Amino acid sequence: MSILRQRKTIGIIGLRLVMALTAIVALAPPALVDNWLPFRGHADEVITGAEFDPARNILHVTAPGTGQATYLGRFTREGHVIVHADGSAEGSVVFTAANGDQLLAKIKGEPIPGTTVPTVGGAYTFTGGTGRFSDASGGADFVGVIASDGIHITVAFEGTIQY
């Protein structure tokens, strides 16, 4: 084989290799890409249920609400939280988008000292959901301001989500 023909063959093989690698990268599944998205929103909640457990010195709180958030749009939410004697809280919240897709989150929070109105701060940890949120992960920090009536709460949150 002549040198010219060898170079042409090597060039064709090289071109095919470059094209194959380009196709592999372009068709890589999105799950392999680190695709964290900014997530922020706000909600208004109303405490509709509160049961004190004297044996464990905790308060079980139920608080449904509505709000707006990136990737959810307008949503409803249902929070179930246990409040401990020191004011710290833990529980779960389900965000439901208008189309019915749900985003699930665990909640941990505590009172923020030195505020002029009762305020809690903490974090959501996303644990999956349904529909487009079935594999959701990530989290958001939140701040909740409790109204003077003790049952209305305004919440703002911001973090990142992957789904």
Side-chain angles (χ1 to χ4, degrees):
M1 187 184 302
S2 72
I3 292 192
L4 185 57
R5 188 172 181 119
Q6 286 177 345
R7 285 187 180 167
K8 186 176 178 183
T9 303
I10 290 172
I12 290 172
I13 292 171
L15 179 61
R16 287 181 182 162
L17 181 60
V18 168
M19 289 174 62
L21 289 173
T22 302
I24 289 170
V25 170
L27 298 175
L32 299 178
V33 178
D34 191 17
N35 192 20
W36 291 98
L37 303 168
F39 182 78
R40 65 182 62 85
H42 59 87
D44 295 309
E45 300 180 328
V46 178
I47 295 174
T48 58
E51 294 181 31
F52 181 66
D53 179 348
R56 296 176 51 206
N57 199 26
I58 58 174
L59 182 65
H60 297 267
V61 176
T62 301
T66 61
Q68 174 84 30
T70 48
Y71 313 109
L72 279 166
R74 296 279 311 149
F75 64 84
T76 59
R77 62 182 269 157
E78 178 85 15
H80 296 275
V81 178
I82 294 173
V83 181
H84 301 278
D86 64 358
S88 65
E90 59 187 317
S92 63
V93 64
V94 177
F95 298 88
T96 304
N99 72 347
D101 290 355
Q102 293 184 325
L103 174 62
L104 309 178
K106 297 223 182 265
I107 301 172
K108 285 197 179 236
E110 58 188 37
I112 298 175
T115 56
T116 58
V117 295
T119 306
V120 295
Y124 299 131
T125 302
F126 303 129
T127 60
T130 64
R132 68 184 181 270
F133 299 114
S134 63
D135 294 322
S137 61
D141 293 326
F142 71 85
V143 173
V145 178
I146 302 168
S148 60
D149 64 9
I151 62 170
H152 289 88
I153 306 168
T154 300
V155 181
F157 49 89
E158 185 169 354
T160 57
I161 188 169
Q162 186 175 39
Y163 65 96

